Amino acid sequence: MSYETILTDIRGTSDLKTGVITLNRPKAMNALNDQLMDELGCALMGFERDDTIGCIILTGSEKAFAAGADISAMKDYDFQKVYGSNYISRNWETIRSVRKPVIAVVQGVALGGGCELAMMCDMIFAADNAKFGQPEIKIGIIPGAGGTQRLPRAIGKSKAMDMVLTARMMDATEAERAGLVSRVVPLDKLMDEALGAALVICGYGQLSVMAAKESVNRAFESGLSDGVMFERRIFHSLFATADQKEGMDAFLQKRAPNFVNG
Ligand code: CAA
């Protein structure tokens, strides 16, 4: 499959590999338009279906993960167009149906829809030059790809309000301190760090990886009792797998486990 607005690559030498998707509209700082979101969805689902892929990395350029929704495309949209075509809902959230872990690797700016796209991933690794923001208010709109919901869940109400209402940017250090980002890494080491984390994940039993992701995500969709019950049932179900037997046997026999993903 050939794409015009993204690049795809497969990295790694172990049984399970990492699919890397790079947003690639350099002249527009990777601004997100419909074509890019369609291509991104297609690439994500391709990696999701590929049994040789255990983890996915989504990244951009050194200057920009993504500077937000494409303002030149949106400028002439009217209500009929955005409501009628289900703008954003139609093709921006494919990533939410991916069951394999997705790591956002953010260098440079992640603004507006770019920050929202990073937040749709499972974790964010940031370069020390990264900047996050929800500046939509400056152009007469508000975040429209989940920013008003995911940002307060990630960093709390006060900081989220600050960012959404003043449009100020947060640097990588503040983003990590606030809980938006899981690791901050020097720019030139960032991709190696992310590939290393992906390799670690690829080495685990993939049913438990999928179950872990599903259970953590449930924390954002349910109350505590329901979430804990969901986790408990998934935890119970993993005792039906060969990888649970193998993982525990290997630990007790002081050897490395040989997971079969079953
Ligand atoms: N849409 C379209 N084009 C964009 C863009 C965007 N979101 N962001 C940057 N570009 C383009 C610029 O128009 C410019 O193009 P030209 O060279 O053809 O003029 C090119 O990228 C480089 O941008 P700048 O010259 O502005 O570069 P800079 O380094 O001075 O500034 C920036 C970089 C701070 C990212 C600045 O471009 C900027 O503020 N961009 C807009 C950010 C924004 O408002 N994002 C939110 C969009 S709305 C949204 O995302 C809605 C939603 O929730 C879904």
Side-chain angles (χ1 to χ4, degrees):
M1 181 91 195
S2 73
Y3 300 113
E4 291 176 0
T5 61
I6 61 169
L7 305 169
T8 59
D9 192 13
I10 293 178
R11 303 282 294 272
T13 49
S14 58
D15 286 354
L16 280 179
K17 300 189 174 27
T18 300
V20 179
I21 302 173
T22 305
L23 306 178
N24 188 37
R25 293 189 71 213
K27 288 188 183 137
M29 300 197 82
N30 292 333
L32 307 169
N33 62 12
D34 259 346
Q35 181 186 3
L36 185 148
M37 296 318 290
D38 280 337
E39 292 186 358
L40 174 59
C42 192
L44 284 166
M45 293 324 286
F47 285 146
E48 175 76 349
R49 283 190 299 271
D50 185 340
D51 289 339
T52 69
I53 299 291
C55 197
I56 299 169
I57 286 175
L58 176 59
T59 193
S61 69
E62 279 188 18
K63 274 176 74 178
F65 177 75
D70 189 325
I71 300 169
S72 55
M74 272 189 305
K75 173 178 73 71
D76 296 321
Y77 288 178
D78 55 19
F79 171 78
Q80 287 82 348
K81 157 83 181 167
V82 292
Y83 183 72
S85 67
N86 214 7
Y87 179 49
I88 306 289
S89 302
R90 185 183 74 76
N91 56 352
W92 280 55
E93 294 171 319
T94 308
I95 201 162
R96 292 177 58 203
S97 45
V98 173
R99 300 177 75 201
K100 294 173 184 176
V102 184
I103 305 174
V105 169
V106 175
Q107 314 162 86
V109 292
L111 298 177
C115 185
E116 293 168 303
L117 181 61
M119 287 192 289
M120 285 182 221
C121 298
D122 298 313
M123 53 190 128
I124 303 176
F125 286 13
D128 47 10
N129 77 338
K131 285 196 165 57
F132 298 85
Q134 296 291 162
E136 290 89 343
I137 200 108
K138 284 164 74 174
I139 54 169
I141 56 171
I142 67 167
T148 65
Q149 305 305 300
R150 291 194 181 91
L151 197 58
R153 282 168 167 81
I155 67 175
K157 175 181 164 181
S158 186
K159 249 184 203 300
M161 282 288 190
D162 182 2
M163 294 189 65
V164 169
L165 293 177
T166 71
R168 81 173 175 88
M169 289 191 222
M170 201 183 251
D171 67 18
T173 307
E174 185 182 1
E176 187 189 29
R177 198 171 62 231
L180 180 62
V181 156
S182 70
R183 304 186 196 182
V184 178
V185 181
L187 179 62
D188 59 341
K189 307 229 163 30
L190 180 64
M191 190 47 93
D192 284 346
E193 179 88 5
L195 286 166
L199 185 67
V200 169
I201 293 168
C202 287
Y204 295 131
Q206 295 303 295
L207 291 179
S208 48
V209 166
M210 210 180 283
K213 168 170 171 163
E214 204 174 353
S215 298
V216 173
N217 276 335
R218 187 50 73 108
F220 297 93
E221 308 287 349
S222 63
L224 183 60
S225 302
D226 287 346
V228 169
M229 181 55 79
F230 182 85
E231 176 206 85
R232 197 63 35 80
R233 294 302 179 225
I234 297 268
F235 171 76
H236 289 160
S237 71
L238 290 171
F239 284 76
T241 67
D243 284 345
Q244 175 263 332
K245 303 285 176 294
E246 170 61 12
M248 294 188 185
D249 281 347
F251 175 80
L252 293 171
Q253 292 163 14
K254 303 190 188 307
R255 61 173 173 82
N258 182 20
F259 291 122
V260 295
N261 303 325

